[in-house]
């Protein structure tokens, strides 16, 4: 998968293969050089005491390419990684992993720009859905929407808390016509009969419980409006929508 692709593209760490370039007094690769590695990969750039350090370009035989900074043979600093599936990461690297701030463009042209940790979306970031124009702005934990966030659609937005990529608990829909619908998302049992065995199977579904319609107000995700509620309704029935799952 593109989102975890760089784990599958480890640089050849060996010193064998062909090399043309500078060396230090100990005969180690040092300075500017070009290497053709035994596995068919190539590297052209800076070396320090026998290891890739500084700016360089590493081309993988499968078509992947990294252009950026190295330290002690590891991608470290700022760099761009082009994946064979057409995706691209442009940002910060730490010890060969996406970490810090970066922009990832997925094969379907979705994008995520924000913080990363150990190759995963982690911290504050914005995910843009190319096919719909919707976007999520908020907190991520190890690749998933978690905690406070805002899901923005064409003519409305949802503000609230998220859990495992889904809205959870108190929140509100804000509409461009100048009003808000406060409520909460709940996990509700939905029973269905099994035609073959004539048994009832219980599954959990996400339901929006509206509580009040007000004028526009500041967003307070943790606040649960105390006005009288209505019955449970699906998000679509109330003009909202459950966020689609981001690319992984």
């Amino acid at each position: 998968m593109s989102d975890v692709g760089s784990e599958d593209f480890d640089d050849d760490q060996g010193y064998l293969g062909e090399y043309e370039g500078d060396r230090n007094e100990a005969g180690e690769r040092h300075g500017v050089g070009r290497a053709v590695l035994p596995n068919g990969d190539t590297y052209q750039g800076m070396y320090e005491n026998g290891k890739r350090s500084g700016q360089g370009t590493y081309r993988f035989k499968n078509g992947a390419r990294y252009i950026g900074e190295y330290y002690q043979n590891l991608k470290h600093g700022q760099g761009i990684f082009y994946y064979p599936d057409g995706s691209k990461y442009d940002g910060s690297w730490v010890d060969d992993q996406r970490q810090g701030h970066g922009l990832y463009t997925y094969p379907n042209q979705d994008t995520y720009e924000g913080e990363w940790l150990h190759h995963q979306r982690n911290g504050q970031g914005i995910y843009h859905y190319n096919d719909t124009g919707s976007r999520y702005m908020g907190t991520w934990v190890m690749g998933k929407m978690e905690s406070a966030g805002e899901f923005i659609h064409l003519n409305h937005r949802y503000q609230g808390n998220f859990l495992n990529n889904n809205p959870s608990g108190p929140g509100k829909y804000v509409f461009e016509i100048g009003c808000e619908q406060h409520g909460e998302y709940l996990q509700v049992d939905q029973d269905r009969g099994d035609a073959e065995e004539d048994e009832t199977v219980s599954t959990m579904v996400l339901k929006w419980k509206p509580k009040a319609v007000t004028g526009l107000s500041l967003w307070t995700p943790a606040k649960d409006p105390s006005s009288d509620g209505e019955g449970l309704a699906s998000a679509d029935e109330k003009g909202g929508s459950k966020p689609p799952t981001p690319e992984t």
Side-chain angles (χ1 to χ4, degrees):
M1 304 294 288
S2 60
D3 193 36
V4 294
S6 56
E7 293 97 320
D8 302 326
F9 303 119
D10 294 329
D11 301 352
D12 192 320
Q13 302 296 317
Y15 299 106
L16 301 177
E18 302 175 5
Y19 174 76
E20 295 180 0
D22 301 333
R23 295 182 183 269
N24 59 17
E25 294 181 355
E28 298 172 317
R29 301 175 183 182
H30 190 90
V32 179
R34 182 180 186 276
V36 179
L37 298 124
N39 65 358
D41 295 350
T42 64
Y43 171 78
Q44 183 167 355
M46 299 299 297
Y47 284 87
E48 184 175 344
N49 298 324
K51 295 184 178 180
R52 293 185 293 274
S53 288
Q55 192 72 22
T57 299
Y58 194 107
R59 299 177 184 273
F60 297 80
K61 62 181 179 181
N62 64 2
R65 184 168 87 256
Y66 172 77
I67 303 173
E69 296 176 289
Y70 277 91
Y71 179 71
Q72 297 290 303
N73 269 352
L74 301 177
K75 294 182 284 292
H76 193 96
Q78 293 298 307
I80 306 174
F81 202 111
Y82 299 88
Y83 296 90
D85 63 3
S87 59
K88 179 181 75 171
Y89 173 77
D90 184 353
S92 177
W93 297 79
V94 175
D95 293 337
D96 241 14
Q97 296 189 331
R98 297 188 294 272
Q99 189 161 316
H101 186 273
L103 169 64
Y104 201 114
T105 303
Y106 295 87
N108 64 358
Q109 298 305 302
D110 285 1
T111 61
Y112 169 81
E113 183 171 10
E115 297 174 288
W116 295 79
L117 180 67
H118 304 315
H119 279 316
Q120 301 289 327
R121 299 182 291 264
N122 197 86
Q124 294 298 304
I126 302 173
Y127 192 104
H128 179 267
Y129 296 84
N130 180 61
D131 59 343
T132 64
S134 298
R135 65 187 187 274
Y136 169 82
M137 306 171 58
T139 306
W140 299 79
V141 177
M142 299 311 292
K144 295 184 178 180
M145 303 172 190
E146 299 281 349
S147 189
E150 181 176 20
F151 214 97
I152 303 170
H153 302 281
L154 181 63
N155 58 4
H156 70 281
R157 64 184 63 199
Y158 175 79
Q159 299 170 339
N161 289 309
F162 288 76
L163 180 65
N164 195 28
N165 279 338
N166 290 313
S168 177
K172 67 180 182 179
Y173 282 96
V174 182
F175 299 93
E176 286 190 352
I177 59 176
C179 67
E180 301 176 350
Q181 184 183 72
H182 298 256
E184 63 179 324
Y185 271 102
L186 302 172
Q187 293 282 347
V188 180
D189 283 331
Q190 184 178 61
D191 296 335
R192 62 181 180 83
D194 191 310
E196 294 183 358
E197 300 181 7
D198 195 25
E199 295 179 353
T200 299
V201 180
S202 179
T203 59
M204 300 298 293
V205 295
L206 195 64
K207 289 289 186 179
W208 170 248
K209 182 180 180 180
K211 292 189 174 183
V213 176
T214 69
L216 299 178
S217 62
L218 293 177
W219 176 27
T220 53
K223 185 177 179 181
D224 185 359
S226 58
S227 54
D228 292 339
E230 302 176 28
L232 291 177
S234 68
D236 290 336
E237 290 171 340
K238 291 300 178 182
S241 58
K242 176 181 173 183
T245 303
E247 279 284 292
T248 55

